Amino acid sequence: MMQTQTKESQSRLSPEQALELLVKGNTRFLKTNQHNRNLLKQAEETSKGQFPFAAILSCIDSRTSSELIFDQGMGDVFSIRIAGNIINEDVLGCMEFACKAAGSKLVMVLGHTSCGAVKGACTKVEMGNLTGLLQKIQPSVARVTADDGSEVDPDKVSHINVDHSIDEILRKSPIIQELLNNQEIGLVGAMYNVSTGQVTITNKKF
């Protein structure tokens, strides 16, 4: 039976070990060999405090639940979700809380294949408040726009968009930058394949 994350177990982890926990979790997911957890017991054990070892920014896509694809239990990860895994002040605030206040050792930006938000940005969809959100993906679209005018590959844009989000984190959050400089946290980018379930690490900063 898996043990619930505690302040002690969290504090003993290095950023590299935190990433390894996620990598091993995805391997279990791929092999359908997930840990046996008593989630109701974990709910009770975390009722008075939580000590997640990582903060994962992912898309709202229904296929990209971090807890599922990394085989994590209650109290293991902070899950930050927004369409296109874009960066704004609220997302940065979540990351700063997770790492500076709550002791998480890793920030991951997780993009995915077949992303509807990225496809919308590629085709310049405009719809209410979604318009402003998709504009935040346009710098990534611009980096892969074909010179010959051919259709942009959304998956390539998704990959670039992960790197762009990491750049935005470092540019706009002195707190995360300082924690990274002090080797208190790691910052990584990754892509999730919705067809295979595989997570591929694309960018690592320790």
Side-chain angles (χ1 to χ4, degrees):
M1 189 72 66
M2 285 300 298
Q3 298 299 308
T4 302
Q5 198 72 229
T6 65
K7 184 175 184 178
E8 291 73 24
S9 63
Q10 181 203 57
S11 64
R12 286 195 299 266
L13 287 172
S14 68
E16 291 86 355
Q17 288 170 328
L19 176 58
E20 186 65 18
L21 286 177
L22 295 180
V23 170
K24 288 181 176 179
N26 182 242
T27 299
R28 292 192 302 272
F29 174 73
L30 290 170
K31 295 180 177 179
T32 63
N33 188 34
Q34 290 92 332
H35 281 316
N36 180 26
R37 292 181 173 87
N38 185 333
L39 293 176
L40 190 59
K41 185 172 187 295
Q42 286 194 321
E44 179 186 351
E45 290 173 342
T46 57
S47 62
K48 291 182 171 60
Q50 58 170 339
F51 305 96
F53 66 85
I56 304 173
L57 170 63
S58 61
C59 185
I60 64 167
D61 192 291
S62 63
R63 300 163 292 182
T64 62
S65 168
S66 297
E67 291 86 351
L68 293 179
I69 64 179
F70 290 111
D71 186 30
Q72 299 301 313
M74 288 189 176
D76 286 335
V77 297
F78 284 112
S79 183
I80 309 166
R81 304 189 70 172
I82 189 168
N85 42 271
I86 57 97
I87 300 300
N88 61 25
E89 289 183 355
D90 301 315
V91 168
L92 291 172
C94 291
M95 292 176 176
E96 291 168 356
F97 168 78
C99 297
K100 186 70 173 179
S104 293
K105 301 301 182 68
L106 185 77
V107 173
M108 173 180 280
V109 177
L110 181 67
H112 68 98
T113 59
S114 301
C115 180
V118 169
K119 290 178 181 177
C122 290
T123 56
K124 295 182 170 54
V125 168
E126 295 186 2
M127 185 182 73
N129 291 298
L130 181 62
T131 304
L133 187 152
L134 296 183
Q135 284 175 349
K136 293 181 173 65
I137 306 176
Q138 283 303 323
S140 301
V141 176
R143 286 177 59 182
V144 296
T145 299
D147 294 332
D148 60 5
S150 60
E151 187 174 339
V152 173
D153 181 350
D155 286 350
K156 287 184 179 180
V157 176
S158 292
H159 189 117
I160 293 295
N161 193 49
V162 168
D163 291 341
H164 178 68
S165 289
I166 287 176
D167 290 343
E168 288 286 277
I169 293 168
L170 296 176
R171 186 170 70 88
K172 295 181 177 180
S173 175
I175 289 176
I176 295 296
Q177 179 71 75
E178 181 182 21
L179 290 169
L180 184 63
N181 290 345
N182 293 338
Q183 299 182 316
E184 295 178 61
I185 66 167
L187 177 59
V188 303
M191 281 291 294
Y192 174 69
N193 188 311
V194 299
S195 298
T196 66
Q198 175 79 49
V199 173
T200 303
I201 305 302
T202 61
N203 193 331
K204 290 195 292 186
K205 298 181 186 299
F206 288 105

